[in-house]
Amino acid sequence: MASLYSALPRAREVLCSTIISSGTFIKHPIRMLQPPPPVVLIPHPTPPHRLRHRRYCTSLAVSSVAKQTNQIISSPELVALEYAELNLTDKFSEELGHVRIRQHVNPLRSYLMIPAEVPNWNEVFKDPTLPLMVDVGSGSGRFIMWLAKRNSDRQNYLGLEIRQKLVKRAQYWLDELALRNIHFIFTNATVSFHHLVSTYPGPLMLVSILCPDPHFKKKYHKRRVVQKPLVDYIVDSLAPGGQVFIQSDVHEVAFDMRSYFDAESDNLLPLENIDPNVVCDTEGWLLSNPLGIRTEREIYAEFEGSKIYRRMYQKQI
């Protein structure tokens, strides 16, 4: 049985205390000073491995959509609302079936050390000369799908994901959206990044690494996606003025990623040093996502009361 947590996000009223046991939330009402609003956001059960490394709380919050519908909304539903304009179906082909995703993958397995086959860029993209964004560890793919839909004639998007079922589902969604400026590849990004990007006809203008697997145990740190070889590939491949966006809800992982990119100060500058409109906290973390929409893990973490660490760099011209 875990200890009782009472830490609460600022400017939120206490609804209940929370006892965490085996990843399950059990709610015990406590006295309120004033009647609660009609909507309660219920935290999504958190995997046990994350409970060991963070403190969570149960808090009361009301979304604008919830106010209108008077419905109880869970964190997965908040993700669906954030990406509602994509109108993605929950039904998949018989071949794909129900998508049950393994959360942790060992990138050092032998079959994941083989570089991915380079696609025919002229078949993958309508215009392969457009600027390219690469999302390392693209997950479900919703994040770059949303960006691709908003920038269909201005930029191409490439998602590299190590979990094959997620890639298959993302490609299924792409067939529904009929977008010709986005593509997903099942691969280990550390192994295939340079191999793939070096063949792309257009300039690489943005690389994002968003909430990668933390691999908490020290003996597993070698499995983390951000290592010096990948950072070198990214820096060498970026066009002048290109950017790198990193994000994590685990401070140790965020600091580790940041240290690798800070070491490239001869090539990369923090975006706030170039653009005065970029707002950071006192430690240099971005206060909001600069790409216009929150990532899925960002939504979950903010809902759970965890801080999101964001940092963006720009390659010097």
Side-chain angles (χ1 to χ4, degrees):
M1 177 71 71
S3 59
L4 182 66
Y5 299 121
S6 59
L8 294 165
R10 185 175 298 176
R12 294 183 179 180
E13 300 170 1
V14 180
L15 174 65
C16 58
S17 60
T18 301
I19 299 177
I20 302 177
S21 176
S22 301
T24 303
F25 286 76
I26 306 173
K27 299 180 179 298
H28 299 277
I30 61 175
R31 183 174 299 174
M32 299 287 294
L33 297 180
Q34 53 185 339
V39 179
V40 178
L41 298 183
I42 302 176
H44 188 65
T46 306
H49 75 278
R50 289 190 179 274
L51 293 178
R52 291 197 301 268
H53 297 274
R54 299 190 193 88
R55 291 189 175 183
Y56 294 103
C57 61
T58 299
S59 61
L60 184 147
V62 181
S63 70
S64 58
V65 175
K67 286 180 179 179
Q68 297 172 8
T69 60
N70 288 329
Q71 294 178 346
I72 295 176
I73 297 182
S74 63
S75 48
E77 291 171 319
L78 289 177
V79 172
L81 289 172
E82 187 94 356
Y83 292 92
E85 72 175 71
L86 291 177
N87 195 29
L88 300 175
T89 180
D90 289 330
K91 297 179 181 179
F92 308 108
S93 65
E94 293 181 3
E95 178 185 355
L96 185 57
H98 180 63
V99 181
R100 296 184 64 182
I101 306 302
R102 183 178 177 84
Q103 295 298 323
H104 303 283
V105 177
N106 180 1
L108 302 181
R109 288 184 178 273
S110 57
Y111 76 96
L112 292 173
M113 299 304 290
I114 302 172
E117 182 180 350
V118 176
N120 184 331
W121 299 114
N122 289 298
E123 294 179 357
V124 167
F125 297 123
K126 181 179 179 180
D127 181 0
T129 64
L130 290 176
L132 179 68
M133 172 184 175
V134 176
D135 188 21
V136 175
S138 52
S140 73
R142 288 184 180 94
F143 180 66
I144 57 174
M145 284 183 201
W146 187 90
L147 293 172
K149 187 175 181 180
R150 288 293 182 96
N151 302 284
S152 58
D153 298 323
R154 296 191 295 271
Q155 190 160 3
N156 288 332
Y157 298 84
L158 179 64
L160 306 181
E161 174 55 46
I162 202 168
R163 290 166 291 180
Q164 191 170 20
K165 280 192 174 182
L166 287 178
V167 173
K168 287 183 177 180
R169 185 177 66 179
Q171 287 295 150
Y172 181 84
W173 280 337
L174 285 187
D175 291 340
E176 288 189 336
L177 295 173
L179 294 173
R180 290 294 313 281
N181 66 326
I182 180 171
H183 184 64
F184 293 91
I185 296 178
F186 162 59
T187 187
N188 181 345
T190 304
V191 173
S192 298
F193 182 91
H194 185 259
H195 173 68
L196 292 169
V197 173
S198 62
T199 66
Y200 181 74
L204 176 65
M205 296 306 300
L206 178 59
V207 176
S208 58
I209 308 174
L210 309 174
C211 297
D213 193 327
H215 291 296
F216 288 111
K217 293 183 179 180
K218 187 174 182 179
K219 66 178 180 179
Y220 293 150
H221 285 187
K222 60 186 177 182
R223 298 181 182 180
R224 289 180 176 177
V225 66
V226 177
Q227 307 282 352
K228 191 175 188 307
L230 179 61
V231 172
D232 289 342
Y233 291 150
I234 291 173
V235 173
D236 292 342
S237 302
L238 275 176
Q243 297 176 334
V244 179
F245 178 37
I246 59 174
Q247 178 190 85
S248 180
D249 57 326
V250 182
H251 181 267
E252 176 195 343
V253 176
F255 185 82
D256 189 44
M257 291 194 294
R258 177 172 169 172
S259 65
Y260 278 109
F261 286 101
D262 281 349
E264 295 291 334
S265 57
D266 291 340
N267 299 298
L268 299 175
L269 288 177
L271 190 61
E272 68 270 18
N273 292 0
I274 300 171
D275 186 350
N277 295 318
V278 175
V279 181
C280 296
D281 63 15
T282 56
E283 296 180 345
W285 300 109
L286 297 174
L287 296 182
S288 61
N289 192 315
L291 300 185
I293 190 170
R294 294 179 297 170
T295 64
E296 291 183 51
R297 184 60 210 167
E298 193 173 351
I299 296 169
Y300 284 122
E302 290 180 350
F303 181 69
E304 292 164 348
S306 300
K307 180 177 179 180
I308 284 286
Y309 301 90
R310 314 174 188 89
R311 183 80 165 169
M312 183 170 267
Y313 300 86
Q314 182 164 310
K315 189 169 184 178
Q316 299 186 55
I317 300 174

